[in-house]
Amino acid sequence: MYVILVYDFGEKRVGKMLKLCRKYLNWIQNSVFEGEISEVKLKELTIKAKAIMDTEEDSIIIFSNHTGYYMNKQVVGKERMKLDNFL
């Protein structure tokens, strides 16, 4: 499945979350990741993220596309990391 993951973590935990997400997805912009990931890997990422986060202060939003349809991507301004293989 294709996902877009966005997180908002406190300053003390943001570095750990960045490292974790880079293991599973492609970094796009500050606190924004995208990519193809299996349901098992996404669950693994979510469990590890919950161990890092403070649920009273931090949040994660995951947009997923299970249908396999293609999505268009439009970047306005500077693109942080160019991906040629975007679906």
Coordinates of all heavy atoms in Angstrom, one line a residue:
M1 N 0.8 -1.2 0.0 CA 0.0 0.0 0.0 C 0.9 1.2 0.0 O 2.0 1.2 0.4 CB -0.9 0.0 1.2 CG -0.4 0.6 2.5 SD -1.5 0.6 3.8 CE -1.2 -1.0 4.5
Y2 N 0.3 2.3 -0.5 CA 1.1 3.6 -0.5 C 0.6 4.4 0.6 O -0.6 4.5 0.9 CB 0.8 4.3 -1.9 CG 1.3 5.7 -1.9 CD1 2.7 5.9 -2.1 CD2 0.5 6.8 -1.6 CE1 3.2 7.2 -2.1 CE2 1.0 8.1 -1.6 CZ 2.4 8.3 -1.9 OH 2.9 9.5 -1.9
V3 N 1.5 5.0 1.4 CA 1.1 5.9 2.5 C 1.9 7.2 2.5 O 3.0 7.3 2.0 CB 1.4 5.2 3.9 CG1 0.6 3.9 4.0 CG2 2.9 5.0 4.1
I4 N 1.2 8.2 3.1 CA 1.8 9.5 3.4 C 1.7 9.6 5.0 O 0.6 9.4 5.5 CB 1.1 10.7 2.8 CG1 1.2 10.5 1.3 CG2 1.7 12.0 3.3 CD1 0.4 11.6 0.5
L5 N 2.8 9.7 5.6 CA 2.9 9.8 7.1 C 3.3 11.2 7.5 O 4.4 11.7 7.0 CB 3.8 8.8 7.7 CG 3.9 8.7 9.2 CD1 4.1 7.2 9.6 CD2 5.0 9.5 9.7
V6 N 2.6 11.8 8.4 CA 2.9 13.2 8.9 C 2.9 13.1 10.4 O 2.0 12.5 11.0 CB 1.8 14.2 8.4 CG1 2.2 15.6 8.9 CG2 1.7 14.2 6.9
Y7 N 4.0 13.6 11.0 CA 4.0 13.6 12.5 C 4.4 14.9 13.1 O 5.0 15.8 12.4 CB 5.0 12.5 13.0 CG 6.5 12.8 12.7 CD1 7.2 13.6 13.5 CD2 7.1 12.2 11.5 CE1 8.6 13.8 13.2 CE2 8.4 12.5 11.3 CZ 9.1 13.3 12.1 OH 10.5 13.5 11.8
D8 N 3.9 15.1 14.3 CA 4.2 16.3 15.1 C 4.6 15.9 16.4 O 3.8 15.5 17.2 CB 3.0 17.2 15.1 CG 3.3 18.6 15.8 OD1 4.4 18.9 16.1 OD2 2.3 19.3 16.1
F9 N 5.9 15.9 16.7 CA 6.5 15.4 17.9 C 7.2 16.5 18.7 O 7.7 17.5 18.1 CB 7.5 14.3 17.7 CG 6.9 12.9 17.6 CD1 5.7 12.7 16.9 CD2 7.5 11.8 18.2 CE1 5.2 11.4 16.8 CE2 7.0 10.6 18.1 CZ 5.8 10.4 17.4
G10 N 7.3 16.4 20.0 CA 8.0 17.3 20.8 C 9.5 17.3 20.4 O 10.0 16.4 19.9
E11 N 10.2 18.4 20.7 CA 11.6 18.6 20.4 C 12.5 17.5 20.9 O 13.4 17.1 20.1 CB 12.0 20.0 21.0 CG 13.3 20.5 20.3 CD 13.6 21.9 20.9 OE1 12.7 22.7 21.0 OE2 14.8 22.2 21.1
K12 N 12.2 17.0 22.0 CA 13.1 15.9 22.6 C 13.0 14.6 21.8 O 13.9 13.8 21.9 CB 12.8 15.7 24.1 CG 13.2 16.9 24.9 CD 12.8 16.6 26.4 CE 13.2 17.8 27.2 NZ 12.8 17.6 28.6
R13 N 11.8 14.4 21.2 CA 11.5 13.1 20.5 C 11.6 13.1 19.0 O 11.6 12.1 18.4 CB 10.2 12.6 21.0 CG 10.1 12.2 22.5 CD 8.7 11.9 23.0 NE 7.8 13.1 22.8 CZ 7.7 14.1 23.6 NH1 8.6 14.2 24.6 NH2 6.9 15.1 23.4
V14 N 11.6 14.3 18.5 CA 11.5 14.4 17.0 C 12.7 13.7 16.3 O 12.5 13.1 15.2 CB 11.4 15.9 16.6 CG1 12.7 16.7 16.7 CG2 10.8 16.1 15.2
G15 N 13.9 13.8 16.8 CA 15.0 13.1 16.1 C 14.9 11.6 16.1 O 15.2 11.0 15.1
K16 N 14.3 11.0 17.1 CA 14.1 9.6 17.2 C 13.1 9.2 16.1 O 13.2 8.2 15.5 CB 13.7 9.1 18.6 CG 14.8 9.2 19.6 CD 14.4 8.7 20.9 CE 15.5 8.8 21.9 NZ 15.0 8.4 23.3
M17 N 12.0 10.0 16.0 CA 11.0 9.7 15.1 C 11.5 9.8 13.7 O 11.1 9.0 12.8 CB 9.8 10.6 15.3 CG 8.6 10.2 14.5 SD 8.0 8.6 14.8 CE 6.6 8.5 13.7
L18 N 12.2 10.8 13.4 CA 12.8 11.0 12.1 C 13.7 9.8 11.7 O 13.5 9.3 10.6 CB 13.7 12.3 12.0 CG 14.5 12.5 10.8 CD1 13.6 12.8 9.6 CD2 15.5 13.7 11.0
K19 N 14.5 9.3 12.6 CA 15.3 8.1 12.3 C 14.5 6.9 12.0 O 14.8 6.1 11.1 CB 16.2 7.8 13.5 CG 17.6 8.3 13.4 CD 18.4 7.7 14.6 CE 19.8 8.3 14.6 NZ 20.6 7.9 15.8
L20 N 13.5 6.7 12.8 CA 12.6 5.6 12.7 C 11.9 5.6 11.3 O 11.9 4.6 10.6 CB 11.5 5.6 13.8 CG 10.5 4.5 13.7 CD1 11.1 3.1 13.8 CD2 9.4 4.7 14.7
C21 N 11.3 6.7 10.9 CA 10.6 6.8 9.7 C 11.5 6.6 8.5 O 11.0 6.1 7.5 CB 9.9 8.2 9.6 SG 8.4 8.3 10.7
R22 N 12.7 7.1 8.5 CA 13.6 6.9 7.4 C 13.9 5.4 7.2 O 14.3 5.1 6.1 CB 14.9 7.7 7.7 CG 14.8 9.1 7.4 CD 16.1 9.8 7.6 NE 16.0 11.2 7.1 CZ 16.9 12.1 7.2 NH1 18.1 11.8 7.6 NH2 16.7 13.3 6.7
K23 N 13.7 4.6 8.1 CA 14.0 3.1 7.9 C 12.9 2.5 7.1 O 13.1 1.5 6.5 CB 14.0 2.4 9.3 CG 15.3 2.8 10.1 CD 15.2 2.1 11.4 CE 16.4 2.4 12.3 NZ 16.4 1.8 13.6
Y24 N 11.7 3.1 7.1 CA 10.5 2.5 6.4 C 10.0 3.3 5.2 O 9.5 2.7 4.3 CB 9.4 2.4 7.4 CG 9.6 1.5 8.5 CD1 10.2 1.9 9.7 CD2 9.2 0.2 8.5 CE1 10.5 1.0 10.8 CE2 9.4 -0.7 9.5 CZ 10.1 -0.3 10.6 OH 10.3 -1.2 11.7
L25 N 10.2 4.6 5.2 CA 9.6 5.4 4.1 C 10.6 6.5 3.6 O 11.7 6.6 4.1 CB 8.4 6.2 4.7 CG 7.2 5.3 5.1 CD1 6.2 6.1 6.0 CD2 6.5 4.6 4.0
N26 N 10.2 7.2 2.5 CA 11.1 8.2 1.9 C 10.7 9.6 2.5 O 9.6 10.0 2.6 CB 10.8 8.2 0.4 CG 11.1 6.9 -0.2 OD1 12.1 6.4 -0.1 ND2 10.1 6.4 -1.0
W27 N 11.8 10.2 3.0 CA 11.6 11.6 3.5 C 11.3 12.6 2.5 O 12.0 12.6 1.4 CB 12.9 12.0 4.3 CG 12.9 13.3 4.8 CD1 12.2 13.8 5.9 CD2 13.6 14.5 4.4 NE1 12.5 15.1 6.2 CE2 13.3 15.6 5.2 CE3 14.5 14.7 3.3 CZ2 13.9 16.8 5.0 CZ3 15.0 16.0 3.2 CH2 14.7 17.0 4.0
I28 N 10.3 13.4 2.6 CA 9.8 14.3 1.7 C 10.1 15.8 2.1 O 10.6 16.6 1.4 CB 8.3 14.2 1.3 CG1 8.1 12.8 0.7 CG2 7.8 15.3 0.4 CD1 8.9 12.5 -0.5
Q29 N 9.7 16.0 3.3 CA 9.8 17.4 3.9 C 9.8 17.2 5.4 O 9.5 16.1 5.9 CB 8.6 18.2 3.5 CG 8.6 19.6 3.7 CD 7.5 20.4 3.1 OE1 6.9 19.9 2.1 NE2 7.1 21.5 3.6
N30 N 10.1 18.3 6.2 CA 10.1 18.2 7.6 C 8.9 17.4 8.1 O 7.8 17.8 7.9 CB 10.2 19.5 8.3 CG 11.5 20.3 7.9 OD1 12.4 19.7 7.5 ND2 11.5 21.6 8.1
S31 N 9.1 16.3 8.8 CA 8.0 15.5 9.4 C 7.0 14.9 8.4 O 5.9 14.6 8.8 CB 7.3 16.4 10.5 OG 8.2 16.9 11.4
V32 N 7.4 14.8 7.2 CA 6.5 14.2 6.2 C 7.3 13.1 5.4 O 8.4 13.3 4.9 CB 6.0 15.3 5.2 CG1 5.1 14.6 4.1 CG2 5.3 16.4 5.9
F33 N 6.7 11.9 5.3 CA 7.3 10.8 4.6 C 6.2 10.2 3.7 O 5.0 10.3 3.9 CB 7.7 9.7 5.7 CG 8.9 10.2 6.4 CD1 8.8 11.0 7.5 CD2 10.2 9.7 6.1 CE1 9.9 11.5 8.2 CE2 11.3 10.1 6.8 CZ 11.1 11.0 7.9
E34 N 6.7 9.5 2.7 CA 5.8 8.8 1.8 C 6.5 7.5 1.3 O 7.7 7.4 1.3 CB 5.4 9.7 0.6 CG 6.6 9.9 -0.4 CD 6.2 10.7 -1.6 OE1 5.1 11.1 -1.8 OE2 7.2 11.0 -2.4
G35 N 5.6 6.6 0.7 CA 6.2 5.4 0.1 C 5.3 4.2 0.2 O 4.3 4.2 0.8
E36 N 5.8 3.2 -0.5 CA 5.1 1.9 -0.5 C 5.6 1.1 0.7 O 6.7 1.1 1.0 CB 5.5 1.1 -1.8 CG 4.8 1.6 -3.0 CD 3.3 1.2 -3.1 OE1 2.9 0.2 -2.5 OE2 2.6 2.0 -3.7
I37 N 4.6 0.5 1.4 CA 4.9 -0.2 2.6 C 3.9 -1.3 2.8 O 2.7 -1.1 2.5 CB 5.0 0.7 3.8 CG1 5.5 0.0 5.1 CG2 3.6 1.4 4.1 CD1 5.9 1.0 6.2
S38 N 4.3 -2.4 3.3 CA 3.3 -3.5 3.5 C 2.5 -3.2 4.8 O 3.0 -2.4 5.7 CB 4.0 -4.9 3.7 OG 4.8 -4.9 4.9
E39 N 1.4 -3.8 5.0 CA 0.6 -3.6 6.2 C 1.4 -4.1 7.4 O 1.3 -3.4 8.5 CB -0.7 -4.4 6.1 CG -1.7 -3.7 5.1 CD -3.1 -4.3 5.1 OE1 -3.6 -4.5 6.3 OE2 -3.7 -4.4 4.1
V40 N 2.1 -5.1 7.3 CA 2.9 -5.6 8.4 C 4.0 -4.6 8.8 O 4.2 -4.3 10.0 CB 3.6 -7.0 8.1 CG1 4.5 -7.4 9.2 CG2 2.5 -8.0 7.9
K41 N 4.7 -4.1 7.8 CA 5.7 -3.1 8.1 C 5.1 -1.8 8.7 O 5.7 -1.1 9.6 CB 6.5 -2.8 6.9 CG 7.5 -3.9 6.4 CD 8.6 -4.0 7.4 CE 9.6 -5.1 7.0 NZ 10.7 -5.3 7.9
L42 N 4.0 -1.4 8.2 CA 3.3 -0.2 8.7 C 2.9 -0.4 10.2 O 3.1 0.5 11.0 CB 2.1 0.2 7.9 CG 1.3 1.4 8.3 CD1 2.2 2.6 8.3 CD2 0.1 1.6 7.4
K43 N 2.4 -1.6 10.5 CA 2.0 -1.9 11.9 C 3.3 -1.9 12.8 O 3.3 -1.3 13.9 CB 1.4 -3.3 12.0 CG 0.9 -3.6 13.4 CD -0.3 -4.4 13.3 CE -0.8 -4.8 14.7 NZ -1.9 -4.0 15.1
E44 N 4.4 -2.4 12.3 CA 5.7 -2.4 13.0 C 6.1 -1.0 13.2 O 6.5 -0.6 14.4 CB 6.7 -3.2 12.2 CG 8.1 -3.3 12.8 CD 9.0 -4.1 11.9 OE1 8.7 -5.3 11.6 OE2 10.0 -3.5 11.4
L45 N 6.1 -0.1 12.2 CA 6.4 1.3 12.3 C 5.5 2.0 13.4 O 6.0 2.7 14.2 CB 6.3 2.0 11.0 CG 6.4 3.5 10.9 CD1 7.7 4.0 11.5 CD2 6.2 4.0 9.5
T46 N 4.3 1.7 13.3 CA 3.3 2.3 14.3 C 3.6 1.9 15.7 O 3.6 2.8 16.6 CB 1.9 2.0 13.9 OG1 1.6 2.3 12.5 CG2 0.9 2.7 14.8
I47 N 3.9 0.7 15.9 CA 4.2 0.2 17.3 C 5.5 0.8 17.8 O 5.5 1.3 19.0 CB 4.3 -1.4 17.3 CG1 2.9 -2.0 17.1 CG2 5.0 -1.9 18.6 CD1 3.0 -3.5 16.8
K48 N 6.5 0.9 17.0 CA 7.8 1.6 17.4 C 7.6 3.0 17.6 O 8.1 3.6 18.6 CB 8.8 1.3 16.3 CG 9.3 -0.1 16.3 CD 10.4 -0.3 15.3 CE 10.8 -1.8 15.2 NZ 11.9 -2.0 14.3
A49 N 6.7 3.7 16.8 CA 6.5 5.1 17.0 C 5.7 5.4 18.3 O 6.0 6.3 19.0 CB 5.6 5.7 15.8
K50 N 4.8 4.5 18.6 CA 4.0 4.7 19.9 C 5.0 4.5 21.1 O 4.7 5.2 22.1 CB 2.9 3.6 20.0 CG 1.7 3.9 19.1 CD 0.7 2.9 19.3 CE -0.5 3.1 18.4 NZ -1.5 2.0 18.4
A51 N 6.0 3.8 21.0 CA 7.0 3.6 22.1 C 7.8 4.9 22.3 O 8.3 5.2 23.4 CB 7.9 2.5 21.8
I52 N 8.0 5.7 21.2 CA 8.7 6.9 21.3 C 7.9 8.1 21.7 O 8.3 9.0 22.5 CB 9.3 7.3 19.9 CG1 10.3 6.2 19.5 CG2 10.0 8.7 19.9 CD1 10.8 6.4 18.0
M53 N 6.6 8.1 21.3 CA 5.8 9.3 21.4 C 5.2 9.5 22.8 O 5.0 8.5 23.6 CB 4.6 9.3 20.4 CG 3.5 8.3 20.6 SD 2.3 8.2 19.3 CE 1.7 9.8 19.1
D54 N 4.9 10.7 23.1 CA 4.1 11.1 24.3 C 2.7 11.3 23.8 O 2.4 12.3 23.1 CB 4.7 12.3 25.0 CG 3.9 12.8 26.2 OD1 2.7 12.3 26.3 OD2 4.4 13.7 26.9
T55 N 1.7 10.4 24.1 CA 0.4 10.5 23.5 C -0.4 11.8 23.9 O -1.4 12.1 23.3 CB -0.4 9.3 23.8 OG1 -0.5 9.1 25.2 CG2 0.2 8.0 23.1
E56 N 0.1 12.4 25.0 CA -0.6 13.7 25.4 C -0.1 14.9 24.6 O -0.8 15.9 24.6 CB -0.2 13.9 26.9 CG -0.7 12.8 27.8 CD -2.3 12.8 27.9 OE1 -2.9 13.8 28.0 OE2 -2.8 11.6 27.9
E57 N 1.0 14.8 23.9 CA 1.6 15.9 23.2 C 1.8 15.6 21.7 O 1.7 16.6 20.9 CB 2.9 16.3 23.8 CG 2.9 16.9 25.2 CD 4.2 17.3 25.7 OE1 5.1 17.6 24.9 OE2 4.4 17.3 27.0
D58 N 2.2 14.4 21.3 CA 2.6 14.1 20.0 C 1.5 13.5 19.2 O 0.5 13.0 19.7 CB 3.7 13.1 20.0 CG 4.9 13.6 20.9 OD1 5.1 14.8 21.0 OD2 5.6 12.8 21.4
S59 N 1.6 13.6 17.8 CA 0.6 13.0 17.0 C 1.2 12.5 15.7 O 2.3 13.0 15.2 CB -0.5 14.0 16.6 OG 0.0 15.0 15.9
I60 N 0.6 11.5 15.1 CA 0.9 10.9 13.8 C -0.3 10.8 13.0 O -1.4 10.4 13.5 CB 1.5 9.5 13.9 CG1 2.8 9.5 14.8 CG2 1.9 8.9 12.6 CD1 3.2 8.1 15.3
I61 N -0.3 11.2 11.7 CA -1.4 11.1 10.8 C -0.9 10.3 9.6 O 0.2 10.6 9.1 CB -1.9 12.4 10.3 CG1 -2.4 13.3 11.5 CG2 -3.0 12.2 9.3 CD1 -2.7 14.7 11.1
I62 N -1.6 9.2 9.3 CA -1.2 8.3 8.2 C -2.4 8.3 7.2 O -3.5 7.9 7.5 CB -0.9 6.9 8.7 CG1 0.2 6.9 9.7 CG2 -0.6 6.0 7.5 CD1 0.4 5.6 10.4
F63 N -2.0 8.7 5.9 CA -3.0 8.6 4.8 C -2.5 7.4 4.0 O -1.4 7.3 3.7 CB -2.9 9.9 3.9 CG -3.1 11.2 4.6 CD1 -2.1 11.9 5.2 CD2 -4.4 11.6 4.7 CE1 -2.4 13.1 5.8 CE2 -4.7 12.8 5.3 CZ -3.7 13.6 5.9
S64 N -3.5 6.5 3.7 CA -3.1 5.3 3.0 C -4.0 5.1 1.7 O -5.2 5.5 1.7 CB -3.2 4.1 3.9 OG -4.5 3.9 4.4
N65 N -3.5 4.5 0.7 CA -4.2 4.2 -0.5 C -4.0 2.7 -0.8 O -3.0 2.2 -1.2 CB -3.6 5.0 -1.6 CG -4.3 4.8 -3.0 OD1 -5.1 3.9 -3.1 ND2 -3.9 5.5 -3.9
H66 N -5.1 2.0 -0.5 CA -5.1 0.5 -0.7 C -5.6 0.1 -2.1 O -5.4 -1.0 -2.5 CB -6.1 -0.1 0.3 CG -5.6 0.0 1.7 ND1 -4.7 -0.8 2.3 CD2 -6.0 0.9 2.6 CE1 -4.5 -0.4 3.6 NE2 -5.3 0.6 3.8
T67 N -6.1 1.0 -2.9 CA -6.8 0.6 -4.1 C -5.8 0.4 -5.3 O -6.2 -0.2 -6.2 CB -7.8 1.7 -4.5 OG1 -7.1 2.9 -4.7 CG2 -8.9 1.9 -3.5
G68 N -4.6 0.9 -5.1 CA -3.7 0.8 -6.2 C -3.8 1.8 -7.3 O -3.0 1.8 -8.3
Y69 N -4.7 2.8 -7.2 CA -4.8 3.8 -8.2 C -3.6 4.8 -8.0 O -3.1 5.0 -6.9 CB -6.1 4.6 -8.0 CG -7.3 3.8 -8.3 CD1 -8.4 3.7 -7.4 CD2 -7.4 3.1 -9.5 CE1 -9.5 2.9 -7.7 CE2 -8.5 2.3 -9.8 CZ -9.5 2.2 -8.9 OH -10.6 1.5 -9.2
Y70 N -3.3 5.4 -9.1 CA -2.2 6.4 -9.0 C -2.6 7.7 -8.4 O -3.8 8.1 -8.6 CB -1.5 6.6 -10.4 CG -0.8 5.3 -10.9 CD1 -1.5 4.4 -11.7 CD2 0.4 5.0 -10.5 CE1 -0.8 3.3 -12.2 CE2 1.1 3.9 -10.9 CZ 0.4 3.0 -11.7 OH 1.1 1.9 -12.1
M71 N -1.7 8.4 -7.8 CA -2.0 9.7 -7.2 C -1.1 10.7 -8.0 O 0.1 10.4 -8.3 CB -1.7 9.7 -5.7 CG -2.6 8.8 -5.0 SD -2.1 8.7 -3.2 CE -2.6 10.3 -2.6
N72 N -1.5 11.9 -8.2 CA -0.7 13.0 -8.7 C 0.0 13.7 -7.6 O -0.6 13.9 -6.5 CB -1.6 13.9 -9.6 CG -2.1 13.3 -10.8 OD1 -1.4 12.5 -11.5 ND2 -3.3 13.7 -11.2
K73 N 1.2 14.1 -7.9 CA 2.0 14.9 -6.9 C 2.3 16.2 -7.5 O 2.8 16.3 -8.6 CB 3.2 14.1 -6.6 CG 4.1 14.8 -5.6 CD 5.4 14.0 -5.3 CE 6.4 14.7 -4.4 NZ 7.6 13.9 -4.2
Q74 N 2.0 17.3 -6.8 CA 2.4 18.6 -7.2 C 3.2 19.3 -6.1 O 2.7 19.3 -4.9 CB 1.1 19.5 -7.5 CG 1.4 20.9 -7.9 CD 0.2 21.7 -8.2 OE1 -0.9 21.2 -8.0 NE2 0.4 22.9 -8.6
V75 N 4.3 19.8 -6.4 CA 5.2 20.4 -5.4 C 5.2 21.9 -5.8 O 5.5 22.3 -6.9 CB 6.6 19.9 -5.4 CG1 7.5 20.6 -4.4 CG2 6.6 18.4 -5.1
V76 N 4.9 22.8 -4.8 CA 5.0 24.2 -5.0 C 6.2 24.7 -4.1 O 6.1 24.5 -2.9 CB 3.7 24.9 -4.7 CG1 3.8 26.4 -4.8 CG2 2.6 24.3 -5.5
G77 N 7.2 25.3 -4.7 CA 8.3 25.7 -4.0 C 9.4 24.7 -4.0 O 9.5 23.8 -4.9
K78 N 10.3 24.7 -3.1 CA 11.5 23.8 -3.1 C 11.1 22.4 -2.7 O 10.4 22.1 -1.7 CB 12.5 24.3 -2.1 CG 13.8 23.5 -2.0 CD 14.7 24.0 -1.0 CE 16.0 23.1 -0.9 NZ 16.9 23.6 0.0
E79 N 11.5 21.4 -3.6 CA 11.3 20.0 -3.3 C 12.5 19.5 -2.5 O 13.6 19.6 -2.9 CB 11.2 19.2 -4.6 CG 10.8 17.8 -4.4 CD 10.4 17.1 -5.7 OE1 10.6 17.6 -6.8 OE2 9.8 16.0 -5.6
R80 N 12.2 19.0 -1.3 CA 13.3 18.6 -0.4 C 14.1 17.4 -0.9 O 15.3 17.3 -0.8 CB 12.7 18.3 1.0 CG 12.0 19.4 1.6 CD 13.0 20.4 2.2 NE 12.3 21.5 2.8 CZ 12.8 22.6 3.2 NH1 14.1 22.8 3.0 NH2 12.1 23.5 3.8
M81 N 13.4 16.4 -1.4 CA 14.0 15.2 -1.9 C 13.3 14.7 -3.1 O 12.1 14.3 -3.0 CB 14.0 14.1 -0.8 CG 14.8 12.9 -1.2 SD 15.1 11.9 0.3 CE 16.4 10.9 -0.3
K82 N 13.9 14.8 -4.2 CA 13.3 14.4 -5.5 C 13.2 12.8 -5.6 O 14.2 12.2 -5.4 CB 14.0 14.9 -6.7 CG 13.3 14.7 -8.0 CD 14.0 15.6 -9.1 CE 13.4 15.3 -10.4 NZ 12.0 15.5 -10.6
L83 N 12.0 12.3 -5.9 CA 11.9 10.9 -6.1 C 11.4 10.7 -7.5 O 10.3 11.1 -7.9 CB 10.8 10.3 -5.1 CG 11.2 10.3 -3.6 CD1 10.1 9.8 -2.8 CD2 12.5 9.5 -3.4
D84 N 12.1 9.9 -8.3 CA 11.7 9.7 -9.7 C 10.7 8.6 -9.7 O 10.0 8.4 -10.7 CB 12.9 9.3 -10.5 CG 13.9 10.5 -10.7 OD1 13.4 11.6 -10.6 OD2 15.1 10.2 -10.8
N85 N 10.6 7.8 -8.7 CA 9.7 6.6 -8.8 C 8.4 6.8 -8.0 O 7.8 5.9 -7.5 CB 10.4 5.4 -8.2 CG 10.8 5.5 -6.7 OD1 10.8 6.6 -6.2 ND2 11.2 4.5 -6.1
F86 N 7.9 8.0 -8.0 CA 6.6 8.3 -7.3 C 5.5 7.7 -8.1 O 5.4 7.8 -9.3 CB 6.5 9.9 -7.2 CG 5.3 10.2 -6.4 CD1 5.3 10.2 -5.0 CD2 4.1 10.6 -7.0 CE1 4.2 10.5 -4.3 CE2 3.0 11.0 -6.3 CZ 3.0 10.9 -4.9
L87 N 4.6 7.1 -7.4 CA 3.4 6.5 -8.0 C 2.4 7.5 -8.4 O 2.0 8.4 -7.7 CB 2.8 5.5 -7.1 CG 3.6 4.3 -6.8 CD1 3.0 3.4 -5.8 CD2 4.0 3.5 -8.0

